Amino acid sequence: MVTSAKDKSTEEKILAAARRVFVRDGMTGARMQDIADEAGINKALLHYHFRNKKKLFEVVFLEAAGRLFPKINEIFEADLGLFEKIERFCEEYVTLVMENPYLPLFVLNEINRDPHYFLGKVWKGKSTPRPEKLLAQIKAEQAAGRIRSVDPLQLLMHLLSMTIFPFVARPMLRKNLGLDEQTFRVVMEQRKKEIPEFIIHAIRI
Amino acid sequence: MVTSAKDKSTEEKILAAARRVFVRDGMTGARMQDIADEAGINKALLHYHFRNKKKLFEVVFLEAAGRLFPKINEIFEADLGLFEKIERFCEEYVTLVMENPYLPLFVLNEINRDPHYFLGKVWKGKSTPRPEKLLAQIKAEQAAGRIRSVDPLQLLMHLLSMTIFPFVARPMLRKNLGLDEQTFRVVMEQRKKEIPEFIIHAIRI
DNA sequence: GTCTATAATTTGATAGAC
DNA sequence: GTCTATCAAATTATAGAC
């Protein structure tokens, strides 16, 4: 399909609008009218470029998931020492998500809304996290006596939890811990160093 | 308003149905028809007992939030040592949420959907978490030289993250870590002890 | 209190002119 | 490709009989 410069511009405007609205309101809460308004066009044109709501959502969701998941693999399967992986993961993942703070909750929520759809159409040979290498690496470090014996799966869950949860719970944390937007960003910036340090202290011999 | 025995029974059936549907599909995804079906009645009767969708949702949401938040305060403000608090929080909170695994994602998502509504109507003098006492307690332990110096706020975020996140990310973790329902429950059961142990190792001198 | 039937509204989607 | 106008379907909400 040939795509003129103007086409691309409009489709890009639509996608930018759809990202904002879908990520904010979710698949079920989003309205095609809102997306059209946000893009500065009308609904008919939306349906011309993307046949229906489901298809448009799919593009946005796959793109969102594609931003969050590959990075995990990339680091966990890299050729690095365990501590380096932990440090790099926190540093790079917090940086990544800070640019799109609402992405994790959006993705987790949509996965939860329709796990089957998620498993099927979405997860086909894509970069679904493969934690085996990291888990094996943790086991090896323990066998070599370089770190304390902790269930590798539990350690991985600790790492993911501490890194991602604050973004998922952001509105609640901001209210309950009394953090304004600026302070929240500072706290998350500190976590880049704080989390690895915390983990290292926890598993040192 | 006088409420007969039969009234209560029907309202309770409706609420039970509304809990399931709202928690599963969210405010925007839930359909009144589904709730009526689930309750074994028709839509008209739904509107008779709860004027509209918003009102019914509000009851369900407030109840859900009321299950998750008071427990936090109850433990954080108790008259216990720091380690005891951490241990009790993990133990009791995991137990609590295991009975309603979808509650945290539901509540966090709805808070995110409409933070203003959440702050306003919902959070009026309710048991919103008051972390000051716990934060002060952490500071005191550090000043006394009994634990390593870690930003209390960061430590609190570690604790909340490790305890709650696995439930929020459950469908994703189950897929990406290859855990079936039974295994997930076992892993969470282990976390009751694993998380406090991990934290204690991390902040010991 | 509970039902059937229907109104009222919202919203996704299409037809057809330009 | 883009718009206006409109349809069709889904969904919330109400009227009125029992």
Side-chain angles (χ1 to χ4, degrees), chain A residues 53-137:
Chain A
K53 186 182 179 182
K54 191 176 178 182
K55 284 210 171 44
L56 178 55
F57 171 79
E58 193 166 305
V59 173
V60 171
F61 176 78
L62 286 177
E63 188 192 65
R67 284 190 189 210
L68 292 184
F69 289 112
K71 182 69 117 185
I72 300 180
N73 258 348
E74 179 193 319
I75 297 174
F76 285 178
E77 298 199 331
D79 202 16
L80 294 168
L82 179 60
F83 290 157
E84 286 78 7
K85 281 186 185 180
I86 293 173
E87 282 168 352
R88 278 191 54 175
F89 176 74
C90 292
E91 168 73 33
E92 294 187 22
Y93 215 71
V94 169
T95 300
L96 171 71
V97 180
M98 283 250 259
E99 294 162 13
N100 315 78
Y102 292 100
L103 235 41
L105 181 54
F106 167 67
V107 170
L108 288 176
N109 197 55
E110 296 299 333
I111 289 174
N112 183 67
R113 191 177 60 81
D114 193 349
H116 187 266
Y117 166 77
F118 167 71
L119 264 74
K121 202 160 190 177
V122 178
W123 237 233
K124 291 230 173 156
K126 300 275 179 172
S127 60
T128 153
R130 299 247 169 257
E132 295 80 13
K133 183 166 180 178
L134 181 67
L135 295 177
Q137 190 171 11

Side-chain angles (χ1 to χ4, degrees), chain B residues 53-72:
Chain B
K53 187 181 177 182
K54 191 176 177 181
K55 285 210 170 46
L56 178 54
F57 172 78
E58 192 165 305
V59 174
V60 171
F61 176 78
L62 286 177
E63 187 192 65
R67 285 191 188 207
L68 293 183
F69 290 112
K71 183 69 115 181
I72 300 181

Side-chain angles (χ1 to χ4, degrees), chain A:
Chain A
M1 185 190 291
V2 182
T3 308
S4 74
K6 203 173 182 186
D7 283 351
K8 212 174 176 186
S9 168
T10 295
E11 289 200 354
E12 195 36 62
K13 275 195 296 185
I14 292 175
L15 278 175
R19 277 181 212 114
R20 284 193 290 275
V21 175
F22 274 129
V23 169
R24 188 189 63 205
D25 300 337
M27 163 63 182
T28 57
R31 298 291 105 117
M32 294 295 266
Q33 185 64 59
D34 294 341
I35 297 175
D37 292 347
E38 189 92 8
I41 59 171
N42 58 34
K43 278 188 295 182
L45 198 51
L46 258 188
H47 285 83
Y48 173 79
H49 285 279
F50 301 86
R51 181 165 303 278
N52 55 41
K53 186 182 179 182
K54 191 176 178 182
K55 284 210 171 44
L56 178 55
F57 171 79
E58 193 166 305
V59 173
V60 171
F61 176 78
L62 286 177
E63 188 192 65
R67 284 190 189 210
L68 292 184
F69 289 112
K71 182 69 117 185
I72 300 180
N73 258 348
E74 179 193 319
I75 297 174
F76 285 178
E77 298 199 331
D79 202 16
L80 294 168
L82 179 60
F83 290 157
E84 286 78 7
K85 281 186 185 180
I86 293 173
E87 282 168 352
R88 278 191 54 175
F89 176 74
C90 292
E91 168 73 33
E92 294 187 22
Y93 215 71
V94 169
T95 300
L96 171 71
V97 180
M98 283 250 259
E99 294 162 13
N100 315 78
Y102 292 100
L103 235 41
L105 181 54
F106 167 67
V107 170
L108 288 176
N109 197 55
E110 296 299 333
I111 289 174
N112 183 67
R113 191 177 60 81
D114 193 349
H116 187 266
Y117 166 77
F118 167 71
L119 264 74
K121 202 160 190 177
V122 178
W123 237 233
K124 291 230 173 156
K126 300 275 179 172
S127 60
T128 153
R130 299 247 169 257
E132 295 80 13
K133 183 166 180 178
L134 181 67
L135 295 177
Q137 190 171 11
I138 295 171
K139 277 201 193 75
E141 291 291 312
Q142 292 172 348
R146 284 191 288 272
I147 64 173
R148 193 168 64 81
S149 179
V150 177
D151 182 352
L153 185 63
Q154 296 282 356
L155 180 56
L156 174 55
M157 288 176 78
H158 295 338
L159 175 59
L160 292 173
S161 297
M162 288 190 283
T163 307
I164 302 173
F165 181 74
F167 293 103
V168 176
R170 186 163 75 140
M172 188 203 71
L173 292 177
R174 284 188 48 185
K175 167 65 179 162
N176 290 331
L177 303 184
L179 311 173
D180 58 21
E181 178 60 27
Q182 173 61 19
T183 309
F184 180 85
R185 296 184 73 86
V186 171
V187 170
M188 289 314 298
E189 196 60 42
Q190 293 170 338
R191 281 181 87 71
K192 291 180 182 178
K193 302 293 182 192
E194 171 59 32
I195 295 171
E197 206 172 297
F198 191 80
I199 292 178
I200 287 171
H201 274 90
I203 63 177
R204 75 198 154 169
I205 295 292

